[in-house]
Amino acid sequence: MKLLISFYYLIILIIVTMPVAIAAKKTPPKVSIRTVCQSEFVECLNRLPAELIKTKEHQDFWYVLKIYEFESLFQLNYTQRLHEATAKYVDSKNIKSKEFQFLTRIYHAKTQFAQNNEKKVSII
């Protein structure tokens, strides 16, 4: 009789814990913003606003996040959005990162080049 009761307790325990184990397996692992922004540009742009809110402006990681934003916009060919995003920082005096300053100017120049090419093509 005790063996039968123990068996029932074991079955109940398995039934109760199984949904928790299944739910734990279905939850996808949290992928870092660095990993996402290297190849999933739409997802990168979706996640960046939340990450930027958590990061103080003009700190090292903030500059990294902004470069991820610029690269995602460039890869997705969002020329106008990239132009607007970079224009704010091209001549800004409070940029502490020389690398960010350089890359911002490069991305901004690419948008100007793309806009000039679009104008030339539309004339033809």
Side-chain angles (χ1 to χ4, degrees), residues 74-123:
F74 178 74
Q75 291 295 332
L76 294 169
N77 203 25
Y78 294 162
T79 308
Q80 187 59 37
R81 282 179 60 189
L82 179 58
H83 181 77
E84 292 166 4
T86 56
K88 297 182 240 183
Y89 305 109
V90 169
D91 292 323
S92 181
K93 301 296 181 201
N94 62 348
I95 304 296
K96 298 173 187 169
S97 169
K98 296 293 183 188
E99 180 182 8
F100 178 78
Q101 202 171 35
F102 174 75
L103 291 171
T104 300
R105 288 180 178 164
I106 295 293
Y107 282 112
H108 192 70
K110 287 180 178 186
T111 63
Q112 290 176 322
F113 181 75
Q115 289 170 346
N116 286 339
N117 280 344
E118 287 173 7
K119 288 177 186 175
K120 288 177 185 174
V121 170
S122 65
I123 293 172

Side-chain angles (χ1 to χ4, degrees), residues 29-48 68 72:
K30 182 78 172 168
V31 180
S32 76
I33 191 78
R34 292 176 189 269
T35 304
V36 169
C37 289
Q38 289 177 1
S39 61
E40 312 221 5
F41 304 113
V42 173
E43 181 63 22
C44 179
L45 290 175
N46 290 335
R47 288 183 53 183
L48 274 173
Y68 287 153
S72 295

Side-chain angles (χ1 to χ4, degrees), residues 44-57:
C44 179
L45 290 175
N46 290 335
R47 288 183 53 183
L48 274 173
E51 293 291 330
L52 285 165
I53 288 171
K54 294 188 286 186
T55 307
K56 193 171 182 179
E57 194 171 353

